[in-house]
Amino acid sequence: MNNHTLNFRPHELFLIAGPCAIESENQMRQILTHETRPTLIRGGIHKMRTSSKSFQGLGDEGLELVKKLKKEIPFDFITEVTDARRIETMLPTTSIFQVGARNMYNYELLKELSRYNRPVILKRAFSATISEWLGAAEYLFNLGEKNIILCERGVRSFDTKLRNLLDLGSVIYLKKNTPFKVLVDPSHSMGFTQYVTDAALAAVAAGADGLMVEIHPEPACALSDGQQALNLNQFSELVVKLKKLAPIFEKELRM
Ligand code: PEP
Ligand code: MN
């Protein structure tokens, strides 16, 4: 696994999984050694929390931990970059940079990111129209970043039962009208563990190229977003289902 060779092919359904935030070595080891272990690992190190009092991530310490674990157990690391000044430090460890919903409109960050020839996951902002989202993607694209993965993570709606409204219409639209890969994040879309698997399966049927799912060895003890995390057994069950579903859409699961 090499930072510069991570490339998604059209027939692949890729599954990115990992905790909302990297919390400890023990947490990461449990994920990395589980029988259904993902190799495309997400994990926040600088968290954009709505409250400044909430856990903000391990920061540089988290990055060091990832570096250490990668030497022992190879994996690709996907993490959110919240500040252009951190790109260089994160570059050697990060296979795909994630731009979070709160930063989709941060055009200076997007312009900086376009200089590194590293895939970028661009999450949809809470209330962004598809046009605004594509406008943000254009900042990357026009400056040379061709490996753009758009991530639908649910939008704000009038409803209050779920965390967000999973817009599968956007997935269908983007696949028909743009050259970009489309990823769905069922975890932030639904907001509750019990709905994540069904939403993931629906996303595959809508044509998503991949999924990004939050998992945690002990969701009840998670420092962020535990209420929407799959535990490791639930993750295994999701993988079994995806392996059955993917061939129906002429895809093969890559994780
Ligand atoms: C995340 O994926 O860690 C995250 C914070 O999601 P979003 O930016 O979609 O809120
Ligand atoms: Mn989260």
Side-chain angles (χ1 to χ4, degrees):
M1 244 158 274
N2 174 319
N3 283 338
H4 305 283
T5 57
L6 185 58
N7 214 340
F8 297 111
R9 287 175 285 277
H11 68 280
E12 285 176 334
L13 173 70
F14 54 95
L15 176 60
I16 298 170
C20 179
I22 292 183
E23 298 166 3
S24 68
E25 181 162 345
N26 177 41
Q27 173 214 34
M28 290 308 287
R29 277 193 187 280
Q30 287 189 65
I31 291 172
L32 290 167
T33 57
H34 192 254
E35 56 176 0
T36 318
R37 84 177 186 87
T39 66
L40 308 172
I41 305 270
R42 64 149 286 146
I45 52 174
H46 300 108
K47 295 303 298 175
M48 300 277 290
R49 304 303 298 282
T50 300
S51 165
S52 62
K53 296 192 186 84
S54 303
F55 177 58
Q56 302 285 309
L58 293 180
D60 290 344
E61 192 193 321
L63 202 58
E64 288 307 312
L65 176 57
V66 170
K67 251 185 234 170
K68 175 179 156 183
L69 291 168
K70 277 180 85 160
K71 280 188 196 142
E72 240 182 272
I73 313 165
F75 59 91
D76 279 296
F77 184 53
I78 292 105
T79 195
E80 179 170 352
V81 56
T82 55
D83 185 327
R85 290 169 296 188
R86 297 205 177 104
I87 299 173
E88 300 267 352
T89 324
M90 295 166 75
L91 208 54
T93 325
T94 307
S95 298
I96 308 179
F97 284 113
Q98 178 178 323
V99 175
R102 291 161 186 78
N103 263 324
M104 188 205 87
Y105 294 106
N106 185 344
Y107 304 132
E108 291 305 320
L109 176 62
L110 299 177
K111 284 195 261 179
E112 269 304 298
L113 271 175
S114 70
R115 298 175 47 224
Y116 294 90
N117 193 25
R118 193 65 50 93
V120 176
I121 290 175
L122 179 62
K123 289 194 127 189
R124 183 181 190 174
F126 303 143
S127 300
T129 62
I130 293 174
S131 295
E132 287 170 334
W133 193 10
L134 290 173
E138 241 172 59
Y139 272 91
L140 291 161
F141 194 80
N142 290 347
L143 287 167
E145 178 54 68
K146 304 299 180 208
N147 207 338
I148 300 168
I149 303 155
L150 298 174
C151 180
E152 173 60 64
R153 43 81 73 212
V155 290
R156 285 253 162 90
S157 86
F158 48 82
D159 189 62
T160 52
K161 280 273 187 283
L162 301 170
R163 185 168 180 180
N164 289 295
L165 174 66
L166 173 55
D167 182 5
L168 291 179
S170 82
V171 178
I172 295 167
Y173 177 89
L174 294 167
K175 287 309 298 171
K176 293 231 188 293
N177 294 289
T178 78
F180 304 123
K181 292 272 178 219
V182 181
L183 188 65
V184 170
D185 170 349
S187 309
H188 290 90
S189 295
M190 304 303 280
F192 302 96
T193 303
Q194 60 183 316
Y195 309 123
V196 169
T197 298
D198 288 343
L201 301 178
V204 176
D209 298 293
L211 300 164
M212 179 156 67
V213 179
E214 287 189 344
I215 62 175
H216 196 288
E218 272 182 279
C221 303
L223 298 181
S224 66
D225 282 350
Q227 79 291 343
Q228 66 190 29
L230 299 183
N231 67 31
L232 300 182
N233 289 336
Q234 289 165 328
F235 178 64
S236 296
E237 285 161 19
L238 169 66
V239 169
V240 169
K241 288 182 177 167
L242 289 174
K243 280 186 181 158
K244 282 192 205 151
L245 187 62
I248 296 174
F249 296 96
E250 293 169 356
K251 291 199 174 132
E252 195 184 325
L253 186 67
R254 171 170 173 192
M255 55 177 283

